[in-house]
Amino acid sequence: MATTTAHALFPSDIGECAVAWGPAGITGVLLPAGDTARLRERLARRAPTAREAEPPAAVAEAIGAMQALLAGEPRDLTFIALDLEGAPDFDRRVWDITRQIPPGSTLTYGDIARRLGDVALSREVGRALGQNPCPIVVPCHRVLAANGRTGGFSAPGGVDTKLRMLSIERAASDPSPSLFGDLPMAARPQR
């Protein structure tokens, strides 16, 4: 099982996020939870023995890259070392494929299932992505349901957060209008 020893909060263009790490790499990333107190509560549940600390150089570099990506810069985060020890092998295979999706691009659950060798695994792919401990670094927001539907998103804010992250990435890499134009998040289709 991955060992989480420390964590830190960091600001981003989508709100305050958190990162947790251990000796072998990052063990978790948390998206904004509405306020700092709720974010700290989620950290305490996920890693009760971890302490808040100044990030070491590799984690600080990862935070900077995540902040840049969330600010609209197309950043490749595959250099970030993750410690996913203890996660099921199937889930890690799904996350490995997901990490290869470049900013501004998407795959479907079925695309990932096909890469795993069986399109019938689409539901299991969705379940694995719902268990993703490192959103942003494992960009599960870039995975859509069939026919371009958004599918689910288990992070705080749900599908609105997913659409916001996709919009940020596309703004930097695709100057054409988005599918939803200037509709506010609440007015956009959910599925």
Side-chain angles (χ1 to χ4, degrees):
M1 172 132 329
T3 302
T4 300
T5 57
H7 61 81
L9 305 182
F10 65 92
S12 81
D13 281 25
I14 65 168
E16 191 166 38
C17 297
V19 62
W21 66 89
I26 290 177
T27 59
V29 176
L30 296 177
L31 293 172
D35 63 40
T36 301
R38 278 191 261 179
L39 189 59
R40 288 184 189 282
E41 287 171 15
R42 290 179 59 221
L43 272 169
R45 281 194 307 273
R46 180 179 266 183
T49 61
R51 66 191 184 342
E52 192 159 349
E54 189 69 30
V59 174
E61 183 181 7
I63 290 170
M66 287 187 276
Q67 289 171 315
L69 180 74
L70 293 171
E73 294 179 30
R75 292 290 184 100
D76 178 359
L77 304 182
T78 57
F79 76 91
I80 297 173
L82 298 179
D83 181 358
L84 303 175
E85 186 67 34
D89 182 61
F90 179 84
D91 292 4
R92 289 193 295 183
R93 289 174 39 219
V94 169
W95 301 335
D96 286 344
I97 292 168
T98 303
R99 283 191 83 183
Q100 302 307 312
I101 305 169
S105 298
T106 60
L107 289 178
T108 65
Y109 299 107
D111 293 333
I112 293 175
R114 272 188 285 288
R115 290 181 185 193
L116 292 168
D118 186 353
V119 74
L121 295 172
S122 296
R123 218 167 257 205
E124 288 82 359
V125 167
R127 184 208 46 79
L129 292 172
Q131 300 299 313
N132 174 13
C134 299
I136 306 172
V137 180
V138 177
C140 53
H141 63 280
R142 297 179 190 152
V143 182
L144 303 175
N147 299 320
R149 293 185 319 250
T150 58
F153 198 60
S154 59
V159 173
D160 281 347
T161 300
K162 182 176 191 167
L163 289 170
R164 184 172 180 201
M165 292 172 73
L166 286 170
S167 177
I168 287 168
E169 290 183 8
R170 290 200 173 114
S173 62
D174 182 2
S176 62
S178 74
L179 174 64
F180 303 110
D182 292 329
L183 288 176
M185 285 292 181
R188 294 179 182 182
Q190 296 299 305
R191 297 202 184 239

